[in-house]
Amino acid sequence: MAAQKSSSHLVGNSAWNASAFLVSVGLNLIILPFVLFRLGAGVFGVASLVAACIAPALAFSSALALSTTRELTQRLAASERDDARRFFATALFLAGAGGGAIAITLSLAGPPVASHLFGLEGAIANDLPFAFLFGSLGWLCQCVSMVFLALFTARQDYGRLAAITMATALVSTLSMLVLVPRWPQASTFLGCQALGFATALLTAFAISRHTVAEWVARPGLHRAPLGDLLRLGGWQFAAQGGGLIANQVDRYLLGAFLAPQFAGYYTIAQRLEEAVYIGVLKIGEILFPFFSSLQEESNDRIADLLFRSAWVLNLLAASVLGALIPVAGPLLQAWTGREVAAETQGLLVLLAVAGMLGCASNVFAFYLLANGRSRASALISIVTAVVTLATSSLALPYFGWKAAGWSACLGMIAQIVITMVLLRRSFSLLAMWPRMAHFVFLPLGTGIVTALALRYFVAEGLFDLARQWWLVGVSYGLAAGVIFVVVVAVSTMGPYGATCWQDLRVIAGRFLPGRLV
């Protein structure tokens, strides 16, 4: 009964995360072609480059949020409330003081550095100070709000987290509809995003004061919590920094070696792949506090939950990311037009494959974080960043911007290798590699092969025929369904087939009437 309740609770949390993500990413994907049309590819590319320059600051805010979440998760009992308040106060102080210093540095140093590095001149260069100012303020609001969101995450209150996410996306989208046509500049686009992050901060503060006021404290510096946060957050900062460099390096190099519009093209392809990838990540994000609460369980029990969770998320990733591969051309054509689709569909295919490979490590990354093994997470991110950076630096100058996707694929392969080595050191299971093959590599490998086969047979015809969203949606749904059925059929074979089928029935029972399961 406890296991069933735990599974049902995890599925419900994932549903909240998925709902919020679908609303926010749906609004973002709807507004992006409008912004691209109003700004033009060049200005949109500059906005993408400014966002990429501010992105490394996320290493600080994300590391602080993760370390705060983990510490609060372990102090939810009423007897530990005072200790939890000291952690909250210290994290809020670090977000305000440290985040403020970073935002000021980005606002002042960003414009001249970006102008020189990317060769920007004229009106575009004149807009850079405002673009960096709005981008930095938006990040600062996000940084502070993430401390409040860490409290909700630790309490696994994903309903309120979903409400905050939806409010953020709605304000940002509506402001773009009103302001971008009036002032078609990169700074306007980034300013609208900043309004969304400010909304998230205000909403999170208001909800926390109303619902969990006894856990909230004013900013303050406490020595013991500071040491614990820095001990975990220091390595996590390195991990987040490595991941952000790996994610942004292609945009930096495209801006430095080629014209800004190529950074815009890359952003369009990456945004589609990233939207689906983050959706999978959001659904699995609930495993972080879940694994944090399993410190007293045996290694065998944790390993069992780890591999079974990996199979569920990899099945989802293979279906929704793999479906992008056969419909890459028509999807981009319906979204941004035929010219942009012809330029970017090959890149989207490569990024989708890279995203599927990246999903092999997601569940294990949550496990490492939950156990405070930030050094291992940092090692994974740094190796991934080094491989991605080296590949991009060698390939882009010679093969052009379309070579960007290959560096992402090689980076994800390196990530898988180092994750498997670290995981082997964590568990001394006799059936370690058979489980790894069945629960991790089998669904993703089957998904990639099936998706590429579908692209080979139907992609050209779809690109010539696709003109409307309904046809693209039907094609995507059919592709995802085919991949899902093939992966399930293959996964239900072998020694762990019964386990996969049982977990699938438990999940289906959450959403379907009992007689259908």
Side-chain angles (χ1 to χ4, degrees):
M1 290 297 294
Q4 291 178 355
K5 182 178 180 181
S6 176
S7 299
S8 178
H9 184 60
L10 286 176
V11 173
N13 287 340
S14 294
W16 274 117
N17 253 12
S19 300
F21 175 77
L22 287 174
V23 172
S24 61
V25 80
L27 291 174
N28 185 267
L29 293 179
I30 289 172
I31 198 63
L32 200 55
F34 172 81
V35 172
L36 177 62
F37 173 75
R38 291 290 185 174
L39 296 183
V43 176
F44 180 74
V46 171
S48 301
L49 291 174
V50 173
C53 290
I54 295 173
L58 289 169
F60 173 81
S61 56
S62 297
L64 179 60
L66 286 170
S67 57
T68 303
T69 299
R70 183 175 183 273
E71 297 297 339
L72 292 178
T73 299
Q74 298 177 356
R75 293 168 175 83
L76 294 178
S79 59
E80 297 180 298
R81 185 173 301 169
D82 290 339
D83 196 20
R85 284 170 57 86
R86 285 191 288 270
F87 271 95
F88 182 90
T90 303
L92 198 58
F93 177 85
L94 291 175
I102 293 172
I104 292 172
T105 302
L106 288 171
S107 300
L108 296 177
V113 172
S115 180
H116 175 74
L117 181 62
F118 303 129
L120 303 176
E121 300 176 346
I124 289 179
N126 294 334
D127 186 51
L128 284 178
F130 295 103
F132 272 94
L133 176 62
F134 291 141
S136 301
L137 288 175
W139 170 81
L140 181 58
C141 291
Q142 185 183 26
C143 179
V144 177
S145 67
M146 288 175 78
V147 178
F148 291 93
L149 298 182
L151 179 58
F152 294 125
T153 304
R155 296 169 62 86
Q156 300 191 46
D157 190 351
Y158 286 93
R160 290 189 173 91
L161 285 170
I164 295 170
T165 301
M166 293 178 189
T168 302
L170 184 61
V171 170
S172 179
T173 301
L174 292 177
S175 61
M176 288 180 192
L177 285 173
V178 175
L179 299 179
V180 168
R182 187 181 180 97
W183 295 288
Q185 298 172 317
S187 59
T188 307
F189 175 63
L190 293 167
C192 293
Q193 290 183 329
L195 284 176
F197 292 131
T199 301
L201 174 57
L202 294 174
T203 307
F205 176 77
I207 293 178
S208 64
R209 294 292 295 177
H210 179 68
T211 59
V212 287
E214 64 274 17
W215 298 91
V216 177
R218 294 180 178 179
L221 201 57
H222 301 277
R223 181 174 297 179
L226 177 63
D228 290 340
L229 289 173
L230 292 180
R231 194 175 302 113
L232 177 63
W235 284 109
Q236 192 55 38
F237 177 81
Q240 293 291 327
L244 287 164
I245 290 173
N247 194 44
Q248 301 293 336
V249 65
D250 285 326
R251 254 187 280 196
Y252 297 146
L253 296 176
L254 286 170
F257 294 141
L258 303 172
Q261 60 261 33
F262 291 105
Y265 288 149
Y266 180 85
T267 299
I268 290 169
Q270 187 191 42
R271 191 66 191 94
L272 272 177
E273 181 272 333
E274 190 179 57
V276 181
Y277 177 84
I278 294 179
V280 177
L281 199 64
K282 284 291 183 182
I283 292 174
E285 200 174 58
I286 50 92
L287 293 172
F288 173 43
F290 176 71
F291 284 135
S292 296
S293 65
L294 296 180
Q295 302 297 322
E296 303 300 324
E297 294 284 347
S298 65
N299 278 344
D300 288 344
R301 173 61 175 164
I302 293 175
D304 181 60
L305 291 172
L306 195 66
F307 283 109
R308 290 166 65 183
S309 300
W311 180 78
V312 172
L313 283 185
N314 289 337
L315 169 62
L316 178 64
S319 302
V320 297
L321 277 168
L324 288 176
I325 294 175
V327 302
L331 178 58
L332 286 165
Q333 182 181 353
W335 189 40
T336 59
R338 190 176 184 88
E339 181 180 351
V340 175
E343 290 286 332
T344 57
Q345 63 170 322
L347 176 61
L348 178 57
V349 170
L350 288 174
L351 291 178
V353 172
M356 295 170 74
L357 293 174
C359 288
S361 307
N362 285 342
V363 172
F364 307 118
F366 290 133
Y367 167 75
L368 293 173
L369 284 175
N371 284 271
R373 297 179 59 183
S374 294
R375 184 179 299 183
S377 300
L379 179 61
I380 294 170
S381 295
I382 291 171
V383 170
T384 304
V386 168
V387 173
T388 305
L389 177 60
T391 306
S392 295
S393 300
L394 294 173
L396 286 177
Y398 296 99
F399 299 105
W401 76 278
K402 294 182 180 179
W406 290 106
S407 63
C409 291
L410 291 177
M412 291 302 104
I413 292 174
Q415 178 175 288
I416 291 174
V417 172
I418 192 67
T419 302
M420 296 305 105
V421 172
L422 292 172
L423 191 65
R424 186 66 184 89
R425 296 177 180 176
S426 301
F427 300 104
S428 56
L429 301 175
L430 295 177
M432 175 76 175
W433 295 117
R435 290 193 189 192
M436 190 75 66
H438 191 97
F439 291 114
V440 179
F441 298 133
L442 182 63
L444 293 176
T446 304
I448 291 173
V449 171
T450 306
L452 291 175
L454 289 174
R455 178 172 176 80
Y456 177 80
F457 288 109
V458 305
E460 186 175 350
L462 284 175
F463 188 79
D464 292 334
L465 295 177
R467 293 291 186 274
Q468 298 181 4
W469 276 108
W470 70 267
L471 180 58
V472 175
V474 170
S475 301
Y476 177 85
L478 288 174
V482 170
I483 295 171
F484 180 88
V485 170
V486 172
V487 173
V488 169
V490 173
S491 297
T492 51
M493 303 176 185
Y496 302 103
T499 301
C500 294
W501 183 247
Q502 178 186 355
D503 289 339
L504 191 62
R505 285 170 59 89
V506 170
I507 296 172
R510 173 76 182 187
F511 302 102
L512 298 177
R515 62 178 181 276
L516 298 179
V517 180

